[in-house]
Amino acid sequence: MYSKLNILESHLIGDLSKPYALPFLLEGTRHRDLKTISSDTLARLMQGEFAKELGPGGGYQIIDCRYPFEFDAGHIRGAWNIYSFDQIRKTFPSIIEENQEKAAQRLIYIFYCEFSAMRGSRIMRYLRNHDRSHHYRNYPKLNYPELYLLHKGYNSFHGTHVDLCEPNGYVSMLSPEHRETYRTARLLAWLNE
């Protein structure tokens, strides 16, 4: 049974400094340990509806964890294509020079893959664990405290918000015409872990 403290902490970002900026799903998600947002919430974020919650200087970055052939066919506008642990380590430094201006900014990250079943959640967890391991002496400090997973991934988002995708195509990971490219991308991602 959850205590009042556990319930309170579950609504605070990873460093326990403030509540989550975005409304997250409480039921019907595959990964109960990850804060998961709906496609509609992401679309509203992209359209500026959460500017007040992000505050001055705040922002967001979308992380597409699909393989490059999937990303190139279509992705959520502005997304970065990061699909390996090595890319996460290079893109998200463990040590960030801190100053008051940067500390005041609220930066959130939204991860997804085709269905947000494996790759997106795996990369998101890796970033959290990597970040946490570099701050184990200063718990609960984190460089990247506010992470979200997109519920049902690009498949769902593309189906409801194709206008926010660029290009607006969709190629499945297991698409027969990309079978060999898929095998190569999967091997390279595994080798870079």
Side-chain angles (χ1 to χ4, degrees), residues 27-48:
E27 295 178 355
T29 61
R30 181 177 183 144
H31 304 281
R32 299 186 76 201
D33 61 317
L34 303 177
K35 298 305 179 204
T36 303
I37 62 170
S38 69
S39 292
D40 289 339
T41 296
L42 178 55
R44 291 172 52 211
L45 173 68
M46 293 173 72
Q47 294 162 349

mmCIF file of all heavy atoms in Angstrom, residues 27-48:
data_model
loop_
_atom_site.group_PDB
_atom_site.id
_atom_site.type_symbol
_atom_site.label_atom_id
_atom_site.label_comp_id
_atom_site.label_asym_id
_atom_site.label_seq_id
_atom_site.Cartn_x
_atom_site.Cartn_y
_atom_site.Cartn_z
ATOM 1 N N GLU A 27 -3.390 5.233 -15.981
ATOM 2 C CA GLU A 27 -3.841 3.866 -16.248
ATOM 3 C C GLU A 27 -3.672 3.533 -17.722
ATOM 4 O O GLU A 27 -3.576 4.426 -18.564
ATOM 5 C CB GLU A 27 -5.316 3.717 -15.869
ATOM 6 C CG GLU A 27 -5.593 3.893 -14.394
ATOM 7 C CD GLU A 27 -7.067 3.781 -14.068
ATOM 8 O OE1 GLU A 27 -7.887 3.660 -14.997
ATOM 9 O OE2 GLU A 27 -7.396 3.812 -12.877
ATOM 10 N N GLY A 28 -3.659 2.240 -18.019
ATOM 11 C CA GLY A 28 -3.630 1.791 -19.400
ATOM 12 C C GLY A 28 -2.288 1.914 -20.093
ATOM 13 O O GLY A 28 -2.227 1.882 -21.319
ATOM 14 N N THR A 29 -1.216 2.042 -19.317
ATOM 15 C CA THR A 29 0.103 2.158 -19.922
ATOM 16 C C THR A 29 0.876 0.856 -19.752
ATOM 17 O O THR A 29 0.642 0.108 -18.805
ATOM 18 C CB THR A 29 0.921 3.305 -19.287
ATOM 19 O OG1 THR A 29 1.117 3.043 -17.901
ATOM 20 C CG2 THR A 29 0.201 4.632 -19.465
ATOM 21 N N ARG A 30 1.784 0.613 -20.647
ATOM 22 C CA ARG A 30 2.567 -0.617 -20.613
ATOM 23 C C ARG A 30 3.684 -0.543 -19.571
ATOM 24 O O ARG A 30 4.034 -1.543 -18.963
ATOM 25 C CB ARG A 30 3.146 -0.862 -22.000
ATOM 26 C CG ARG A 30 3.948 -2.120 -22.087
ATOM 27 C CD ARG A 30 4.427 -2.358 -23.501
ATOM 28 N NE ARG A 30 5.142 -3.612 -23.565
ATOM 29 C CZ ARG A 30 5.106 -4.433 -24.565
ATOM 30 N NH1 ARG A 30 4.385 -4.146 -25.618
ATOM 31 N NH2 ARG A 30 5.790 -5.549 -24.548
ATOM 32 N N HIS A 31 4.255 0.638 -19.391
ATOM 33 C CA HIS A 31 5.403 0.817 -18.498
ATOM 34 C C HIS A 31 4.962 1.683 -17.312
ATOM 35 O O HIS A 31 5.077 2.908 -17.355
ATOM 36 C CB HIS A 31 6.559 1.472 -19.250
ATOM 37 C CG HIS A 31 6.961 0.719 -20.467
ATOM 38 N ND1 HIS A 31 7.742 -0.411 -20.407
ATOM 39 C CD2 HIS A 31 6.668 0.913 -21.787
ATOM 40 C CE1 HIS A 31 7.928 -0.871 -21.638
ATOM 41 N NE2 HIS A 31 7.283 -0.098 -22.481
ATOM 42 N N ARG A 32 4.510 1.045 -16.278
ATOM 43 C CA ARG A 32 3.943 1.765 -15.132
ATOM 44 C C ARG A 32 4.977 2.587 -14.375
ATOM 45 O O ARG A 32 4.629 3.514 -13.667
ATOM 46 C CB ARG A 32 3.242 0.780 -14.202
ATOM 47 C CG ARG A 32 2.085 0.080 -14.930
ATOM 48 C CD ARG A 32 1.279 -0.774 -14.044
ATOM 49 N NE ARG A 32 0.433 0.104 -13.240
ATOM 50 C CZ ARG A 32 -0.106 -0.257 -12.102
ATOM 51 N NH1 ARG A 32 0.097 -1.450 -11.618
ATOM 52 N NH2 ARG A 32 -0.854 0.589 -11.432
ATOM 53 N N ASP A 33 6.266 2.268 -14.557
ATOM 54 C CA ASP A 33 7.312 3.006 -13.867
ATOM 55 C C ASP A 33 7.721 4.285 -14.598
ATOM 56 O O ASP A 33 8.460 5.103 -14.064
ATOM 57 C CB ASP A 33 8.555 2.123 -13.670
ATOM 58 C CG ASP A 33 9.149 1.653 -14.980
ATOM 59 O OD1 ASP A 33 8.385 1.247 -15.874
ATOM 60 O OD2 ASP A 33 10.384 1.689 -15.109
ATOM 61 N N LEU A 34 7.219 4.482 -15.823
ATOM 62 C CA LEU A 34 7.588 5.655 -16.615
ATOM 63 C C LEU A 34 6.389 6.590 -16.744
ATOM 64 O O LEU A 34 5.257 6.127 -16.922
ATOM 65 C CB LEU A 34 8.053 5.229 -18.008
ATOM 66 C CG LEU A 34 9.221 4.244 -18.057
ATOM 67 C CD1 LEU A 34 9.524 3.862 -19.504
ATOM 68 C CD2 LEU A 34 10.446 4.812 -17.370
ATOM 69 N N LYS A 35 6.643 7.869 -16.707
ATOM 70 C CA LYS A 35 5.570 8.845 -16.908
ATOM 71 C C LYS A 35 5.267 8.871 -18.401
ATOM 72 O O LYS A 35 6.130 9.146 -19.225
ATOM 73 C CB LYS A 35 5.965 10.236 -16.412
ATOM 74 C CG LYS A 35 6.261 10.284 -14.930
ATOM 75 C CD LYS A 35 5.107 9.756 -14.101
ATOM 76 C CE LYS A 35 5.445 9.800 -12.626
ATOM 77 N NZ LYS A 35 4.691 8.872 -11.835
ATOM 78 N N THR A 36 4.039 8.567 -18.735
ATOM 79 C CA THR A 36 3.623 8.400 -20.118
ATOM 80 C C THR A 36 2.584 9.451 -20.461
ATOM 81 O O THR A 36 1.642 9.662 -19.699
ATOM 82 C CB THR A 36 3.053 6.983 -20.321
ATOM 83 O OG1 THR A 36 4.049 6.027 -19.930
ATOM 84 C CG2 THR A 36 2.665 6.735 -21.751
ATOM 85 N N ILE A 37 2.786 10.113 -21.614
ATOM 86 C CA ILE A 37 1.829 11.135 -22.051
ATOM 87 C C ILE A 37 1.120 10.667 -23.313
ATOM 88 O O ILE A 37 1.633 9.854 -24.069
ATOM 89 C CB ILE A 37 2.503 12.504 -22.289
ATOM 90 C CG1 ILE A 37 3.555 12.424 -23.405
ATOM 91 C CG2 ILE A 37 3.090 13.040 -20.988
ATOM 92 C CD1 ILE A 37 4.086 13.772 -23.859
ATOM 93 N N SER A 38 -0.046 11.220 -23.546
ATOM 94 C CA SER A 38 -0.832 10.874 -24.726
ATOM 95 C C SER A 38 -0.345 11.663 -25.943
ATOM 96 O O SER A 38 0.346 12.684 -25.814
ATOM 97 C CB SER A 38 -2.307 11.195 -24.482
ATOM 98 O OG SER A 38 -2.490 12.603 -24.421
ATOM 99 N N SER A 39 -0.744 11.208 -27.110
ATOM 100 C CA SER A 39 -0.443 11.931 -28.347
ATOM 101 C C SER A 39 -1.051 13.326 -28.313
ATOM 102 O O SER A 39 -0.433 14.285 -28.779
ATOM 103 C CB SER A 39 -0.980 11.161 -29.559
ATOM 104 O OG SER A 39 -0.264 9.966 -29.751
ATOM 105 N N ASP A 40 -2.245 13.449 -27.763
ATOM 106 C CA ASP A 40 -2.889 14.760 -27.683
ATOM 107 C C ASP A 40 -2.103 15.712 -26.790
ATOM 108 O O ASP A 40 -1.967 16.899 -27.104
ATOM 109 C CB ASP A 40 -4.328 14.632 -27.176
ATOM 110 C CG ASP A 40 -5.256 13.991 -28.204
ATOM 111 O OD1 ASP A 40 -4.928 14.009 -29.411
ATOM 112 O OD2 ASP A 40 -6.306 13.461 -27.786
ATOM 113 N N THR A 41 -1.555 15.208 -25.680
ATOM 114 C CA THR A 41 -0.754 16.056 -24.802
ATOM 115 C C THR A 41 0.498 16.542 -25.527
ATOM 116 O O THR A 41 0.863 17.721 -25.436
ATOM 117 C CB THR A 41 -0.377 15.309 -23.508
ATOM 118 O OG1 THR A 41 -1.583 15.016 -22.781
ATOM 119 C CG2 THR A 41 0.547 16.129 -22.626
ATOM 120 N N LEU A 42 1.159 15.651 -26.268
ATOM 121 C CA LEU A 42 2.340 16.073 -27.020
ATOM 122 C C LEU A 42 1.970 17.107 -28.074
ATOM 123 O O LEU A 42 2.671 18.107 -28.247
ATOM 124 C CB LEU A 42 3.042 14.877 -27.667
ATOM 125 C CG LEU A 42 4.274 15.229 -28.515
ATOM 126 C CD1 LEU A 42 5.301 16.040 -27.731
ATOM 127 C CD2 LEU A 42 4.900 13.960 -29.071
ATOM 128 N N ALA A 43 0.872 16.914 -28.776
ATOM 129 C CA ALA A 43 0.435 17.885 -29.783
ATOM 130 C C ALA A 43 0.171 19.241 -29.126
ATOM 131 O O ALA A 43 0.574 20.288 -29.658
ATOM 132 C CB ALA A 43 -0.815 17.381 -30.497
ATOM 133 N N ARG A 44 -0.466 19.241 -27.978
ATOM 134 C CA ARG A 44 -0.726 20.496 -27.256
ATOM 135 C C ARG A 44 0.578 21.163 -26.835
ATOM 136 O O ARG A 44 0.709 22.377 -26.922
ATOM 137 C CB ARG A 44 -1.613 20.220 -26.045
ATOM 138 C CG ARG A 44 -3.037 19.833 -26.416
ATOM 139 C CD ARG A 44 -3.870 19.370 -25.228
ATOM 140 N NE ARG A 44 -3.842 20.321 -24.141
ATOM 141 C CZ ARG A 44 -3.937 19.978 -22.845
ATOM 142 N NH1 ARG A 44 -4.064 18.690 -22.507
ATOM 143 N NH2 ARG A 44 -3.905 20.890 -21.913
ATOM 144 N N LEU A 45 1.553 20.369 -26.398
ATOM 145 C CA LEU A 45 2.867 20.911 -26.037
ATOM 146 C C LEU A 45 3.509 21.571 -27.256
ATOM 147 O O LEU A 45 4.020 22.698 -27.175
ATOM 148 C CB LEU A 45 3.767 19.795 -25.505
ATOM 149 C CG LEU A 45 5.228 20.167 -25.230
ATOM 150 C CD1 LEU A 45 5.331 21.133 -24.056
ATOM 151 C CD2 LEU A 45 6.045 18.906 -24.956
ATOM 152 N N MET A 46 3.486 20.896 -28.383
ATOM 153 C CA MET A 46 4.086 21.424 -29.606
ATOM 154 C C MET A 46 3.381 22.697 -30.083
ATOM 155 O O MET A 46 4.003 23.542 -30.727
ATOM 156 C CB MET A 46 4.044 20.358 -30.709
ATOM 157 C CG MET A 46 4.926 19.158 -30.410
ATOM 158 S SD MET A 46 4.727 17.818 -31.615
ATOM 159 C CE MET A 46 5.560 18.559 -33.044
ATOM 160 N N GLN A 47 2.117 22.841 -29.745
ATOM 161 C CA GLN A 47 1.349 24.021 -30.146
ATOM 162 C C GLN A 47 1.417 25.132 -29.107
ATOM 163 O O GLN A 47 0.731 26.143 -29.224
ATOM 164 C CB GLN A 47 -0.093 23.610 -30.434
ATOM 165 C CG GLN A 47 -0.190 22.686 -31.643
ATOM 166 C CD GLN A 47 -1.489 21.910 -31.726
ATOM 167 O OE1 GLN A 47 -2.294 21.880 -30.791
ATOM 168 N NE2 GLN A 47 -1.695 21.255 -32.854
ATOM 169 N N GLY A 48 2.260 24.957 -28.079
ATOM 170 C CA GLY A 48 2.516 26.016 -27.113
ATOM 171 C C GLY A 48 1.580 26.096 -25.929
ATOM 172 O O GLY A 48 1.644 27.047 -25.149
#
